Amino acid sequence: AERFAVRFAAKEAFYKAYHTMLYSIGQSNENSLLTVQKEISVAHLPYGIPTLQVNWEALLPKDTNAPRVHLTLSHAQQQ
């Protein structure tokens, strides 16, 4: 459950940052949370490094450069 929750939280944080970015560049986009959720996924690179895979073609207006995304995941084990 903790791993699912931290991945969901990462996607939600991306959604908020995505809409803030679009607002700051003067682009309005009506993509809902569900649409954005379908276009991103949390994966792991070699050595277990988490990464956020984003389908920028579906999310950004044309002629907009895709930003770099950094991701850190953590959760505490209960003892």
Side-chain angles (χ1 to χ4, degrees):
E2 288 178 349
R3 289 188 172 115
F4 174 78
V6 75
R7 286 172 178 242
F8 183 83
K11 289 181 170 188
E12 183 179 10
F14 172 84
Y15 175 78
K16 291 176 181 179
Y18 164 74
H19 279 283
T20 301
M21 177 199 67
L22 289 182
Y23 180 78
S24 71
I25 63 173
Q27 300 284 333
S28 62
N29 193 320
E30 297 300 322
N31 283 341
S32 69
L33 179 58
L34 275 171
T35 302
V36 173
Q37 292 279 343
K38 292 177 186 178
E39 302 298 341
I40 61 175
S41 64
V42 176
H44 290 278
L45 297 174
Y47 306 106
I49 299 168
T51 184
L52 196 62
Q53 296 178 332
V54 181
N55 179 2
W56 289 114
E57 291 177 3
L59 295 177
L60 286 180
K62 292 182 183 199
D63 299 328
T64 303
N65 293 330
R68 180 175 289 170
V69 176
H70 299 277
L71 178 66
T72 302
L73 303 177
S74 66
H75 57 275
Q77 293 179 337
Q78 294 183 5
Q79 297 181 5

